[in-house]
Amino acid sequence: MADCAHLLLRGTLPTRKQRRDFQREVRGHRLVHEHLIRFFQGFNHDAHPMAILVSVVGALSAFYNDDHDYRDPAKRDLAGMRCVGKMATLAAYSYKTAHGQPIVYPRDDLNLAQNFMYMMFALPTRPYDLDPVACRCLEVILMLHADHEQNASTSTVRIAGSSQANPFACVAAGVASLWGPAHGGANEAVLAMLEEIGTVDRIPKCVARAKSKTDPFRLMGFGHRVYKQMDPRARLMRDMCHKLLDHLKIKDPLLDLAMELEKVALSDDYFISRKLYPNVDFYSGICFRALGIPREMFTVIFAVGRSVGWIAQWIEMAGEEVSRISRPRQMYEGAPERPFVPLSERR
Ligand code: CMC
């Protein structure tokens, strides 16, 4: 992930020395202010970790308010490194809060994926062994989600940033936008859908619902605004899923169900004619499940990966010579001019 983050933030694959320096620097930003940790205690135990994440990422802007002069490349870079360093910590603390467990401080000797697994699953009462294949799987997931041009959340970060708002506030806006089931929330929705289908014989009913004009239900993890063929990330995710499950010796019936659902949908005229193929979210949930990551954390992990892209895009935008506030126009299609009726004369 260090290579990927360096490529996005600094524009090149790092040399070995640059890689070491970059890792040291990012790891140096993993801790969050102790006062921020108190924020976590204010949430109900059943708060969704995305709700917590959106709040605490936004709260970072109160700790790193700097002087707003992000025309200075060093200040932009520092904001970026802070963001990349702290996102996984905040995400893991969100998990711990939602589970009522004590937070686990980050470790400098671990890479991003290892450290994230450690902060999520380690407990003071027992040793925690990192599984290299599981950590690699998480790393691949983070890389596959790192950046993806102008998707809804990245555009949201850019729109927020175009007013020269604090970068952490912009990233919090991205987290909010990512949350919905049409975007990052789809991975959570895929698993819920597969669990609801339950058995292969119920697939036709689910496909029929997805095709129905009167039912708002969609096949989650299918379709993409840009890809009109199989999302290349989905293929990698499917391969990773098989590797991980083999390694962990897990036989997950949901994987068989997902593969059968893919087969049925891809031989159906409705999906063929609309060029609807599996997207990145279709198999990621099954990987997360095998990693022992609960469903409500799926989109949070997407946010950790995507935060590298968000902040890279923010750095690019904040460094532009001429900056213009984003201001989409709106075409009014409502009623024509109406007379104003004073309140006293209204019913
Ligand atoms: N299941 C059933 N029908 C679908 C689906 C689906 N998943 N996706 C699109 N359609 C149909 C839609 O009903 C429409 O049919 P018709 O032409 O008869 O009205 C046609 O395909 C075009 O749909 P659209 O809404 O114009 O497509 P879009 O490009 O606006 O939407 C999408 C893209 C990803 C929001 C949509 O495909 C969808 O809702 N998919 C399910 C949610 C999902 O998996 N989201 C993750 C996206 S990838 C990761 C990310 O970027 O976050």
Side-chain angles (χ1 to χ4, degrees):
M1 187 66 189
D3 280 354
C4 172
H6 192 282
L7 184 60
L8 287 171
L9 291 166
R10 307 236 163 120
T12 58
L13 271 183
T15 62
R16 284 186 210 179
K17 174 168 183 335
Q18 282 172 335
R19 194 174 197 278
R20 275 196 305 276
D21 292 348
F22 183 79
Q23 281 176 319
R24 193 176 315 114
E25 208 183 318
V26 173
R27 290 174 191 194
H29 288 294
R30 280 180 176 167
L31 280 173
V32 296
H33 198 291
E34 286 292 306
H35 289 182
L36 183 56
I37 294 173
R38 290 195 210 134
F39 278 50
F40 287 89
Q41 291 153 8
F43 294 101
N44 272 347
H45 72 280
D46 58 353
H48 195 288
M50 278 299 274
I52 301 178
L53 193 68
V54 84
S55 319
V56 292
V57 172
L60 280 178
S61 56
F63 292 86
Y64 303 105
N65 200 14
D66 297 339
D67 59 8
H68 280 261
D69 183 10
Y70 290 113
R71 276 166 303 177
D72 178 351
K75 286 188 183 158
R76 291 197 298 274
D77 189 69
L78 177 60
M81 298 304 265
R82 279 179 177 151
C83 180
V84 175
K86 292 179 198 311
M87 273 303 280
T89 310
L90 294 176
Y93 289 2
S94 305
Y95 170 82
K96 288 295 199 192
T97 303
H99 286 255
Q101 291 176 4
I103 59 158
V104 173
Y105 284 92
R107 265 172 53 184
D108 276 0
D109 58 324
L110 302 176
N111 71 26
L112 175 64
Q114 294 165 337
N115 186 49
F116 189 48
M117 293 287 269
Y118 167 74
M119 288 189 295
M120 265 203 308
F121 295 128
L123 286 170
T125 47
R126 63 183 92 123
Y128 178 71
D129 290 329
L130 290 160
D131 182 310
V133 177
C135 290
R136 175 63 186 159
C137 175
L138 183 61
E139 189 169 41
V140 169
I141 292 175
L142 293 172
M143 282 193 284
L144 289 180
H145 287 87
D147 192 38
H148 208 235
E149 52 135 91
Q150 288 314 299
N151 52 82
S153 56
T154 304
S155 298
T156 302
V157 171
R158 277 188 174 258
I159 290 179
S162 76
S163 72
Q164 293 162 31
N166 180 288
F168 295 106
C170 300
V171 172
V175 177
S177 170
L178 185 75
W179 191 356
H183 191 6
N187 49 21
E188 202 179 324
V190 171
L191 214 65
M193 177 185 77
L194 291 174
E195 280 171 0
E196 200 185 316
I197 298 172
T199 47
V200 170
D201 58 301
R202 294 176 61 181
I203 289 177
K205 192 170 161 220
C206 165
V207 169
R209 274 193 71 195
K211 288 159 54 174
S212 164
K213 283 275 166 214
T214 52
D215 191 333
F217 172 77
R218 286 185 166 196
L219 216 51
M220 297 315 289
F222 255 77
H224 197 275
R225 177 63 61 79
V226 179
Y227 294 123
K228 299 303 169 198
Q229 71 282 353
M230 178 110 168
D231 180 340
R233 300 169 301 171
R235 197 170 290 126
L236 288 166
M237 197 67 84
R238 189 179 52 198
D239 294 348
M240 195 70 227
C241 199
H242 283 292
K243 253 186 231 157
L244 179 71
L245 267 63
D246 283 351
H247 169 76
L248 297 174
K249 300 192 182 8
I250 292 175
K251 178 97 188 76
D252 188 343
L254 292 192
L255 177 58
D256 298 332
L257 198 59
M259 289 196 306
E260 186 58 26
L261 178 57
E262 179 185 341
K263 207 164 92 190
V264 171
L266 294 187
S267 54
D268 189 302
D269 256 3
Y270 175 93
F271 293 89
I272 297 169
S273 61
R274 288 169 181 76
K275 299 187 168 54
L276 300 169
Y277 293 88
N279 59 50
V280 68
D281 293 316
F282 194 64
Y283 286 100
S284 62
I286 300 171
C287 288
F288 286 137
R289 205 164 116 104
L291 292 172
I293 294 170
R295 201 187 296 172
E296 68 277 8
M297 281 300 287
F298 295 178
T299 316
V300 171
I301 293 172
F302 190 154
V304 173
R306 185 56 56 86
S307 64
V308 181
W310 288 333
I311 204 72
Q313 300 243 5
W314 174 84
I315 287 175
E316 180 181 83
M317 189 188 66
E320 277 162 8
E321 277 293 297
V322 182
S323 68
R324 292 192 84 197
I325 190 160
S326 182
R327 206 320 180 173
R329 293 304 311 272
Q330 184 170 355
M331 298 291 291
Y332 178 69
E333 287 185 342
E337 192 176 355
R338 287 165 288 180
F340 174 73
V341 183
L343 185 58
S344 58
E345 292 171 26
R346 284 182 233 159
R347 288 201 299 142

